[in-house]
Amino acid sequence: MASGESNSNEIESSLAQESSINDAYSAPEARFECPICLAWLRDPVLTSCGHRFCRNCIYSWLEREHACPVDNLKLNKEDIFPDNFTRREISQQRTKCPNIVRGCLEELSPLDVEAHLLVCKFRIPELPDNEKLRCSFVEVGCEEKFEDEPELQRHLDQQIQKHLTLLSQAYAKLSVNNTSAGAVASTSAIAQQANFWDPPPKNSSANVPEDNVNTLLRNLYEKIVFLEQKTREQDIIIANMSEQISSYNLSMSKLHQRYCDGCYLWHCADFKSKLNIMRENPHVMYYSPGFYTSPNGYKLCVRINLSPKDNNYLAIHIHVMKTEHDLALDWPFSGRLSITLIHPMQSFKSIKETMMTRPELDAFKRPVQDMNPNGFGYKEFVLVEEIFEQDFIENNQLLIKIQAQPV
Amino acid sequence: MANIAAQRIKREFKEVIKSEEVAKCAIKVELVNDSYTELKGEIAGPPDTPYEGGTFVLEIKVPETYPFNPPKVRFMTKIWHPNISSVTGAICLDILKDQWAAAMTLRTVLLSLQALLSAAEPDDPQDAVVAKQYRENLEMFQITARHWTNVYAGGPHVNSDCDDKIRRLVDMGIEEHQARAALSSYNWDLERATEQLFS
């Protein structure tokens, strides 16, 4: 028997290895493992095909099948021999009891571990007090503790009466506290708010004067809640209305383009930055929204860009656009088109050009895309310089008027 | 439950949980009850098959005589496969029947089922209708299997054509799965499926 001191040392050194010992116990090395029960070989036998099994395991298997469980080769009881070599090796193995952490110093053959665990004096003890599950009613004085969830559940099911009693006692104490410490001090603000919703006392005439403050507060509180609710409702109404207004605005602007009767005024906003972008990239073009020559007539739009030949000139073209009623229109589009660059102050300075459509041009054929790729107009409508010198720009906006009259 | 069966399942359970397939999310095993007699398996649909992206749940029942007899395994997730019943989820796989060996484990069973999904055996069918489609119209089989994977196993490939046809039958008052099964059996021929459902 080792001395007390060396004992404790041994425990400490084995503490660190606890997990590995447990693993070794639960999963033996492959050569000591029976492929059928996956545990340590017990009375190992060797088959003619070279596999080891527990004697009982392989005999049980051979009662059903006559093939090796591992490689499916034919196998009979005559092809099995005791493997005393492996038996000796296993019997020489020593594992420590998994309870070594709690002080069991037993060293065992792996085959005996299971049997030993059932009787080991150092079995996992009941959980220490602080790890036990407390009864859910501990707050009101139930001191019971439990090892696991099902046990707790059973207790809760059985002790309803006791828990109810504890609860009612606790409640009684609570209400005593309330009155003694004064209603205002001990109840939380939320509880007070809830109080305001209580129905007024039936015998309101018996109210003592100091309740007037409470009555006032209650009235105020009710009013606030009412107003808050109303604000929320109003917010929703306003949000809905502004949504409606913006959708109306959208359809209104479309309406205007539809009912302009072929006379459309394009406010080309932010003209200077558009011009800068076009100067940087000569391929950039700007298009006006589409407008109609009559409510169910042709749909046109204006395009401006810098003339590809000479980028000192602004080009203005008109494009025919696709509509849903193109079928009902005559093609190619024919009529009179005029483009006017409006001078914002002096109307005599405005530049107006009128042209007649030419039926042979692709620009006036029925559009197959959203818009005919070919437009009709002037590549050199006006010098850009002139636009600025003659003050055509007002509020950074260029005004172009289109008049289209189908014939 | 016999001690050996429970002990073995406990050990196997640890083996599956530690295996690298679990790390790759390819297979999974969960306990259904405390006695280790019933488990829930999960396999991922193998890549490059119509089952890719789906997760298939399996019901595993461990007999008293395990591991001398095979576990009873069945697909709980509906699946379109020649060797698996599209109605009951019953599996036709030799190792779950006469080719079972005591050295096989839950892990090898789940991996074998995954292999079965990548390589069907239409000559040894469990579901004759599916097997016929597999042999005669492989493309239609793949469309159907992928659609079932999408609907029942959470696969990523939505087939709006299939969904539309099913909706047509549902609008006529047919239950959705019944409609899907009928359409699947008749190569998504709406007329023939309708005929069969109303005859």
Side-chain angles (χ1 to χ4, degrees):
Chain A
M1 187 78 192
S3 74
E5 204 181 307
S6 67
N7 256 357
S8 60
N9 277 345
E10 209 173 321
I11 291 168
E12 265 176 31
S13 65
S14 38
L15 255 176
Q17 294 170 355
E18 188 207 2
S19 61
S20 62
I21 287 171
N22 270 341
D23 285 353
Y25 161 67
S26 55
E29 236 180 286
R31 64 191 172 118
F32 294 138
E33 185 190 77
C34 167
I36 294 181
C37 65
L38 301 182
W40 287 87
L41 285 165
R42 205 174 278 272
D43 292 332
V45 294
L46 187 63
T47 65
S48 52
C49 52
H51 297 109
R52 288 192 192 96
F53 301 95
C54 304
R55 191 186 139 84
N56 283 344
C57 288
I58 191 63
Y59 274 71
S60 308
W61 171 250
L62 288 180
E63 274 164 28
R64 293 154 213 265
E65 299 284 336
H66 298 285
C68 169
V70 176
D71 60 14
N72 234 351
L73 289 179
K74 203 168 176 305
L75 192 70
N76 285 308
K77 287 184 184 170
E78 301 85 64
D79 308 322
I80 293 173
F81 315 96
D83 185 351
N84 288 325
F85 177 77
T86 307
R87 178 206 293 271
R88 193 159 43 243
E89 274 199 293
I90 292 177
S91 68
Q92 281 163 3
Q93 299 274 326
R94 278 289 173 271
T95 56
K96 286 168 182 159
C97 171
N99 288 335
I100 186 163
V101 237
R102 282 173 290 277
C104 181
L105 297 175
E106 204 85 43
E107 290 208 349
L108 310 136
S109 154
L111 296 174
D112 299 333
V113 170
E114 236 161 277
H116 166 76
L117 277 179
L118 293 176
V119 296
C120 178
K121 288 180 202 126
F122 299 89
R123 265 173 302 177
I124 301 178
E126 291 187 353
L127 285 172
D129 249 14
N130 53 359
E131 283 173 29
K132 281 186 183 173
L133 291 171
R134 304 292 301 258
C135 171
S136 328
F137 288 90
V138 63
E139 299 266 296
V140 291
C142 181
E143 295 292 341
E144 305 262 357
K145 290 171 186 170
F146 306 95
E147 297 285 332
D148 54 14
E149 206 65 46
E151 217 178 308
L152 169 62
Q153 203 54 50
R154 219 169 303 130
H155 165 78
L156 288 178
D157 288 345
Q158 288 166 356
Q159 301 291 333
I160 296 174
Q161 204 66 46
K162 177 185 165 194
H163 289 149
L164 275 179
T165 319
L166 286 170
L167 266 180
S168 66
Q169 283 166 1
Y171 177 74
K173 266 187 223 158
L174 199 70
S175 41
V176 169
N177 277 348
N178 265 355
T179 45
S180 62
V184 184
S186 68
T187 43
S188 68
I190 294 171
Q192 253 188 319
Q193 279 194 357
N195 282 343
F196 292 141
W197 285 109
D198 290 346
K202 287 208 176 102
N203 49 348
S204 51
S205 58
N207 266 357
V208 276
E210 64 187 31
D211 267 4
N212 279 345
V213 181
N214 264 343
T215 320
L216 182 64
L217 272 177
R218 183 201 299 263
N219 287 341
L220 283 175
Y221 182 73
E222 277 174 6
K223 203 152 199 166
I224 291 171
V225 171
F226 174 74
L227 288 174
E228 274 176 353
Q229 179 64 29
K230 198 154 189 173
T231 316
R232 266 194 288 277
E233 282 167 13
Q234 298 289 355
D235 280 347
I236 293 169
I237 293 173
I238 291 174
N240 287 345
M241 281 171 115
S242 49
E243 206 171 292
Q244 217 166 9
I245 288 172
S246 64
S247 77
Y248 281 153
N249 275 343
L250 197 69
S251 52
M252 277 297 282
S253 66
K254 284 191 181 147
L255 222 57
H256 169 68
Q257 286 145 20
R258 186 132 198 155
Y259 290 95
C260 67
D261 272 337
C263 178
Y264 180 71
L265 196 57
W266 184 27
H267 300 261
C268 179
D270 207 9
F271 180 72
K272 280 176 195 159
S273 60
K274 281 184 176 139
L275 190 63
N276 287 336
I277 293 171
M278 289 192 288
R279 274 184 175 141
E280 273 171 34
N281 181 355
H283 298 297
V284 174
M285 301 173 177
Y286 289 95
Y287 295 88
S288 76
F291 58 93
Y292 292 75
T293 58
S294 62
N296 282 312
Y298 300 89
K299 189 182 184 187
L300 309 170
C301 73
V302 197
R303 163 186 34 121
I304 57 164
N305 59 293
L306 292 181
S307 168
K309 273 193 216 156
D310 178 352
N311 69 0
N312 288 317
Y313 282 96
L314 187 72
I316 303 184
H317 290 87
I318 295 173
H319 286 265
V320 180
M321 295 175 83
K322 198 181 198 169
T323 69
E324 66 281 8
H325 51 259
D326 276 349
L327 266 179
L329 296 169
D330 297 323
W331 298 99
F333 169 62
S334 77
R336 181 199 302 270
L337 296 168
S338 63
I339 305 174
T340 315
L341 195 62
I342 308 268
H343 195 282
M345 316 287 186
Q346 295 139 309
S347 58
F348 66 90
K349 282 191 180 170
S350 296
I351 308 169
K352 179 172 181 176
E353 298 289 348
T354 303
M355 44 201 187
M356 292 301 291
T357 57
R358 282 159 48 193
E360 75 277 12
L361 291 182
D362 282 347
F364 301 114
K365 291 204 171 126
R366 183 178 165 184
V368 281
Q369 302 160 16
D370 265 355
M371 181 175 78
N372 261 343
N374 292 356
F376 186 60
Y378 296 88
K379 281 189 179 141
E380 293 163 7
F381 191 89
V382 63
L383 267 170
V384 176
E385 238 171 76
E386 198 180 331
I387 294 177
F388 288 100
E389 278 172 7
Q390 301 286 324
D391 292 327
F392 274 97
I393 307 293
E394 192 188 44
N395 294 333
N396 199 8
Q397 178 173 282
L398 191 68
L399 276 179
I400 300 174
K401 179 170 139 186
I402 304 295
Q403 282 163 291
Q405 286 170 295
V407 186
Chain B
M1 188 172 198
N3 195 31
I4 177 164
Q7 287 296 332
R8 214 186 104 136
I9 290 291
K10 267 183 216 168
R11 296 199 161 100
E12 284 189 39
F13 194 68
K14 280 184 195 158
E15 177 202 36
V16 177
I17 286 177
K18 279 186 199 156
S19 70
E20 54 183 303
E21 290 89 7
V22 165
K24 284 187 288 185
C25 303
I27 63 171
K28 195 165 129 187
V29 179
E30 278 172 27
L31 286 177
V32 173
N33 59 16
D34 294 336
S35 59
Y36 289 87
T37 52
E38 228 175 279
L39 298 106
K40 198 180 96 175
E42 246 180 60
I43 56 176
D48 303 320
T49 68
Y51 311 104
E52 180 168 11
T55 305
F56 298 88
V57 179
L58 300 154
E59 176 190 84
I60 305 173
K61 288 193 170 155
V62 183
E64 293 264 326
T65 49
Y66 186 80
F68 301 109
N69 288 106
K72 292 186 171 58
V73 187
R74 162 180 101 79
F75 273 82
M76 285 171 59
T77 306
K78 290 192 170 61
I79 183 168
W80 191 252
H81 187 285
N83 304 107
I84 301 159
S85 164
S86 59
V87 182
T88 62
I91 305 165
C92 179
L93 180 62
D94 52 1
I95 63 153
L96 291 177
K97 294 177 180 162
D98 50 339
Q99 291 301 304
W100 168 255
M104 291 173 180
T105 62
L106 292 177
R107 181 173 155 266
T108 54
V109 166
L110 292 185
L111 293 177
S112 301
L113 285 173
Q114 217 170 21
L116 184 68
L117 294 192
S118 356
E121 295 277 356
D123 297 329
D124 183 18
Q126 176 77 36
D127 194 310
V129 178
V130 186
K132 185 163 176 283
Q133 190 182 61
Y134 185 93
R135 280 195 303 261
E136 292 172 5
N137 194 342
L138 186 63
E139 196 191 344
M140 192 58 74
F141 162 79
Q142 283 169 339
I143 289 173
T144 312
R146 196 171 292 128
H147 171 68
W148 280 52
T149 305
N150 166 243
V151 176
Y152 297 116
H157 300 286
V158 178
N159 187 327
S160 49
D161 182 43
C162 296
D163 290 339
D164 286 347
K165 284 179 178 163
I166 290 164
R167 204 168 305 122
R168 295 269 291 278
L169 288 178
V170 169
D171 289 344
M172 290 185 223
I174 305 290
E175 190 271 323
E176 187 189 316
H177 175 67
Q178 203 186 352
R180 180 171 293 111
L183 282 163
S184 302
S185 307
Y186 287 102
N187 293 342
W188 298 92
D189 182 332
L190 191 58
E191 258 175 48
R192 286 177 60 204
T194 318
E195 212 172 274
Q196 187 258 330
L197 284 166
F198 287 99
S199 64

